[in-house]
Amino acid sequence: MKFRRSGRLIDMTHYLLQHPRQLISLTFFADRYHAAKSSISEDLALVKSTFEEKGIGSLHTVPGASGGVKYIPMVRLDEAEAIATQLTKRLTEIDRILPGDYLYLADVLGDTPMIHQAGRLFASHFAQQPIDVVMTVATKGIPLAYAVAYHLGVPVVIVRRDSKVTEGSTVSINYVSGSTKRIQSMVLAKRSLDAGSNVLIVDDFMKAGGTINGMISMIDEFQANLAGIGVLVEAAGEGGERLVDEYVSLLRLMKVDATTKQIDVDKGTFFQLYNSSSKEETTS
């Protein structure tokens, strides 16, 4: 079937967005649209300029006979701040304060459009790194993990608190909870993760980081590599020792007071890292 250029551009854009960080050859597009490679190159140049102008992402060209193009997700700072502002507005609703100064997050994590956008932010930050899989622990972090994995074009691995017969043989580890200092366990099916895989850990909430530290130990058990850590909300001012040092958070929960009905939320490390990386690009 012969495509008109307008239809070709629409289909090409859709295909690239559906296959982030995957190398796609010019031959593939030429065969798909029955068009000359020179025409495909012109189309890709137009898509690239539009993506970059609108802050959607970028197309990286890989030269050579086995080369092609890769779509790399990207988010502009103003869009990232708008997403963070929307999340902050939701999290500071006073009716979500729970006993013990906890916050109810299930509705936010179940808000598909919002979590989809949060996933874009994490994907834009980690897009240039070699990531083979996104890991999270059951259950609340699963929606966010899938959103991030979708925009990175990689599978999701779910660590569980107890083993399921449907998962076959598993690896089990013990870890110390950062907040309660209790010994807990987590398991992962042996078939879930290959040795040498580059793993991005994603979680919805972090206090001291005990659960994330446990996932890091699990990655070590599988002889895989930690590629990064992404957290939707981190708790600040807990007074205890943080077990995880290097991570990217979208928001920082500064204070929850059930008595005064006060919830204070600030921007997370994502924006500090965004600004520092932008300065490095400017100076270079």
Short mmCIF file of all heavy atoms in Angstrom, two decimals, residues 36-67:
data_model
loop_
_atom_site.label_atom_id
_atom_site.label_comp_id
_atom_site.label_asym_id
_atom_site.label_seq_id
_atom_site.Cartn_x
_atom_site.Cartn_y
_atom_site.Cartn_z
N ALA A 36 11.29 5.89 -1.15
CA ALA A 36 12.74 5.95 -1.26
C ALA A 36 13.34 6.36 0.09
O ALA A 36 12.71 7.09 0.86
CB ALA A 36 13.16 6.93 -2.33
N LYS A 37 14.55 5.90 0.37
CA LYS A 37 15.20 6.24 1.64
C LYS A 37 15.43 7.75 1.76
O LYS A 37 15.41 8.29 2.86
CB LYS A 37 16.52 5.50 1.76
CG LYS A 37 16.38 4.01 2.04
CD LYS A 37 17.73 3.36 2.28
CE LYS A 37 17.57 1.88 2.60
NZ LYS A 37 18.87 1.21 2.86
N SER A 38 15.64 8.40 0.63
CA SER A 38 15.83 9.86 0.67
C SER A 38 14.57 10.55 1.18
O SER A 38 14.64 11.51 1.96
CB SER A 38 16.20 10.38 -0.72
OG SER A 38 15.19 10.04 -1.67
N SER A 39 13.39 10.03 0.77
CA SER A 39 12.13 10.60 1.25
C SER A 39 11.93 10.31 2.74
O SER A 39 11.46 11.16 3.50
CB SER A 39 10.95 10.02 0.45
OG SER A 39 11.07 10.35 -0.91
N ILE A 40 12.32 9.11 3.15
CA ILE A 40 12.21 8.74 4.57
C ILE A 40 13.11 9.63 5.42
O ILE A 40 12.72 10.08 6.50
CB ILE A 40 12.59 7.26 4.77
CG1 ILE A 40 11.62 6.34 4.03
CG2 ILE A 40 12.64 6.91 6.25
CD1 ILE A 40 10.18 6.47 4.48
N SER A 41 14.30 9.92 4.93
CA SER A 41 15.24 10.80 5.66
C SER A 41 14.65 12.18 5.84
O SER A 41 14.76 12.79 6.91
CB SER A 41 16.57 10.88 4.92
OG SER A 41 17.21 9.63 4.90
N GLU A 42 14.00 12.70 4.82
CA GLU A 42 13.36 14.01 4.91
C GLU A 42 12.21 13.99 5.91
O GLU A 42 12.03 14.93 6.70
CB GLU A 42 12.85 14.44 3.53
CG GLU A 42 13.96 14.72 2.51
CD GLU A 42 13.42 15.02 1.14
OE1 GLU A 42 12.16 15.02 0.99
OE2 GLU A 42 14.22 15.26 0.21
N ASP A 43 11.44 12.91 5.89
CA ASP A 43 10.34 12.78 6.85
C ASP A 43 10.85 12.75 8.29
O ASP A 43 10.31 13.41 9.17
CB ASP A 43 9.55 11.50 6.58
CG ASP A 43 8.80 11.54 5.25
OD1 ASP A 43 8.66 12.65 4.70
OD2 ASP A 43 8.36 10.48 4.79
N LEU A 44 11.90 11.97 8.51
CA LEU A 44 12.46 11.85 9.85
C LEU A 44 13.03 13.17 10.35
O LEU A 44 12.94 13.49 11.54
CB LEU A 44 13.53 10.76 9.88
CG LEU A 44 13.02 9.32 9.73
CD1 LEU A 44 14.19 8.36 9.53
CD2 LEU A 44 12.22 8.91 10.97
N ALA A 45 13.61 13.95 9.43
CA ALA A 45 14.13 15.27 9.81
C ALA A 45 13.00 16.18 10.27
O ALA A 45 13.14 16.95 11.23
CB ALA A 45 14.88 15.88 8.64
N LEU A 46 11.85 16.07 9.59
CA LEU A 46 10.69 16.88 9.97
C LEU A 46 10.13 16.43 11.32
O LEU A 46 9.81 17.26 12.18
CB LEU A 46 9.61 16.77 8.90
CG LEU A 46 8.32 17.57 9.12
CD1 LEU A 46 8.64 19.06 9.25
CD2 LEU A 46 7.34 17.33 7.98
N VAL A 47 10.04 15.11 11.52
CA VAL A 47 9.57 14.58 12.80
C VAL A 47 10.50 15.00 13.93
O VAL A 47 10.06 15.41 15.00
CB VAL A 47 9.45 13.04 12.74
CG1 VAL A 47 9.13 12.48 14.12
CG2 VAL A 47 8.38 12.62 11.74
N LYS A 48 11.80 14.92 13.68
CA LYS A 48 12.80 15.28 14.69
C LYS A 48 12.64 16.75 15.12
O LYS A 48 12.62 17.05 16.31
CB LYS A 48 14.21 15.05 14.13
CG LYS A 48 15.34 15.53 15.04
CD LYS A 48 16.69 15.31 14.37
CE LYS A 48 17.82 15.96 15.14
NZ LYS A 48 18.05 15.33 16.45
N SER A 49 12.52 17.65 14.14
CA SER A 49 12.41 19.07 14.47
C SER A 49 11.12 19.36 15.24
O SER A 49 11.11 20.17 16.18
CB SER A 49 12.47 19.92 13.20
OG SER A 49 11.37 19.62 12.33
N THR A 50 10.03 18.67 14.87
CA THR A 50 8.75 18.87 15.56
C THR A 50 8.81 18.34 16.98
O THR A 50 8.35 18.98 17.93
CB THR A 50 7.61 18.19 14.79
OG1 THR A 50 7.57 18.69 13.45
CG2 THR A 50 6.28 18.45 15.47
N PHE A 51 9.39 17.15 17.14
CA PHE A 51 9.54 16.57 18.47
C PHE A 51 10.31 17.50 19.39
O PHE A 51 9.92 17.73 20.54
CB PHE A 51 10.26 15.22 18.38
CG PHE A 51 9.37 14.04 18.08
CD1 PHE A 51 8.07 14.24 17.65
CD2 PHE A 51 9.83 12.75 18.22
CE1 PHE A 51 7.24 13.16 17.36
CE2 PHE A 51 9.02 11.66 17.95
CZ PHE A 51 7.71 11.87 17.52
N GLU A 52 11.43 18.00 18.90
CA GLU A 52 12.28 18.85 19.73
C GLU A 52 11.63 20.20 20.02
O GLU A 52 11.76 20.73 21.12
CB GLU A 52 13.63 19.03 19.05
CG GLU A 52 14.44 17.73 18.99
CD GLU A 52 15.77 17.88 18.29
OE1 GLU A 52 16.01 18.96 17.70
OE2 GLU A 52 16.58 16.93 18.34
N GLU A 53 10.92 20.74 19.03
CA GLU A 53 10.26 22.03 19.23
C GLU A 53 9.15 21.94 20.26
O GLU A 53 8.96 22.84 21.09
CB GLU A 53 9.69 22.52 17.89
CG GLU A 53 8.97 23.86 17.98
CD GLU A 53 8.36 24.29 16.66
OE1 GLU A 53 8.70 23.69 15.62
OE2 GLU A 53 7.53 25.22 16.67
N LYS A 54 8.41 20.82 20.24
CA LYS A 54 7.29 20.64 21.15
C LYS A 54 7.70 19.98 22.47
O LYS A 54 6.86 19.82 23.36
CB LYS A 54 6.21 19.79 20.47
CG LYS A 54 5.61 20.42 19.23
CD LYS A 54 4.91 21.72 19.54
CE LYS A 54 4.27 22.31 18.32
NZ LYS A 54 3.57 23.61 18.61
N GLY A 55 8.97 19.60 22.59
CA GLY A 55 9.42 18.98 23.82
C GLY A 55 8.96 17.55 24.00
O GLY A 55 8.88 17.04 25.12
N ILE A 56 8.63 16.88 22.91
CA ILE A 56 8.17 15.50 22.96
C ILE A 56 9.33 14.54 23.14
O ILE A 56 9.24 13.54 23.85
CB ILE A 56 7.38 15.14 21.68
CG1 ILE A 56 6.15 16.03 21.56
CG2 ILE A 56 6.99 13.67 21.66
CD1 ILE A 56 5.44 15.90 20.24
N GLY A 57 10.45 14.86 22.49
CA GLY A 57 11.61 14.00 22.53
C GLY A 57 12.55 14.35 21.42
O GLY A 57 12.49 15.45 20.85
N SER A 58 13.42 13.42 21.08
CA SER A 58 14.38 13.66 20.02
C SER A 58 14.61 12.36 19.25
O SER A 58 14.32 11.27 19.75
CB SER A 58 15.70 14.17 20.60
OG SER A 58 16.62 14.45 19.56
N LEU A 59 15.11 12.49 18.04
CA LEU A 59 15.49 11.34 17.23
C LEU A 59 17.01 11.33 17.12
O LEU A 59 17.61 12.31 16.65
CB LEU A 59 14.87 11.40 15.83
CG LEU A 59 13.35 11.29 15.73
CD1 LEU A 59 12.93 11.23 14.27
CD2 LEU A 59 12.85 10.07 16.47
N HIS A 60 17.62 10.24 17.57
CA HIS A 60 19.06 10.09 17.47
C HIS A 60 19.38 9.22 16.26
O HIS A 60 18.85 8.11 16.13
CB HIS A 60 19.63 9.47 18.74
CG HIS A 60 19.60 10.41 19.91
ND1 HIS A 60 20.27 10.15 21.09
CD2 HIS A 60 18.99 11.60 20.10
CE1 HIS A 60 20.06 11.14 21.94
NE2 HIS A 60 19.28 12.02 21.37
N THR A 61 20.26 9.71 15.42
CA THR A 61 20.64 8.98 14.21
C THR A 61 21.88 8.16 14.47
O THR A 61 22.87 8.65 15.01
CB THR A 61 20.90 9.96 13.04
OG1 THR A 61 19.72 10.74 12.82
CG2 THR A 61 21.24 9.20 11.77
N VAL A 62 21.82 6.88 14.09
CA VAL A 62 22.96 5.98 14.21
C VAL A 62 23.43 5.66 12.79
O VAL A 62 22.72 5.02 12.02
CB VAL A 62 22.57 4.67 14.94
CG1 VAL A 62 23.78 3.74 15.02
CG2 VAL A 62 22.02 4.98 16.32
N PRO A 63 24.63 6.14 12.40
CA PRO A 63 25.11 5.94 11.03
C PRO A 63 25.56 4.50 10.77
O PRO A 63 25.71 3.71 11.71
CB PRO A 63 26.28 6.91 10.93
CG PRO A 63 26.80 7.02 12.33
CD PRO A 63 25.60 6.90 13.22
N GLY A 64 25.77 4.20 9.50
CA GLY A 64 26.29 2.88 9.13
C GLY A 64 25.23 1.99 8.53
O GLY A 64 24.02 2.29 8.57
N ALA A 65 25.69 0.84 8.00
CA ALA A 65 24.78 -0.09 7.34
C ALA A 65 23.73 -0.65 8.30
O ALA A 65 22.60 -0.94 7.91
CB ALA A 65 25.58 -1.23 6.72
N SER A 66 24.11 -0.84 9.56
CA SER A 66 23.18 -1.38 10.55
C SER A 66 22.56 -0.28 11.41
O SER A 66 22.00 -0.56 12.47
CB SER A 66 23.91 -2.38 11.46
OG SER A 66 25.00 -1.75 12.13
N GLY A 67 22.67 0.95 10.96
CA GLY A 67 22.18 2.08 11.73
C GLY A 67 20.71 2.36 11.51
O GLY A 67 19.97 1.55 10.95
#
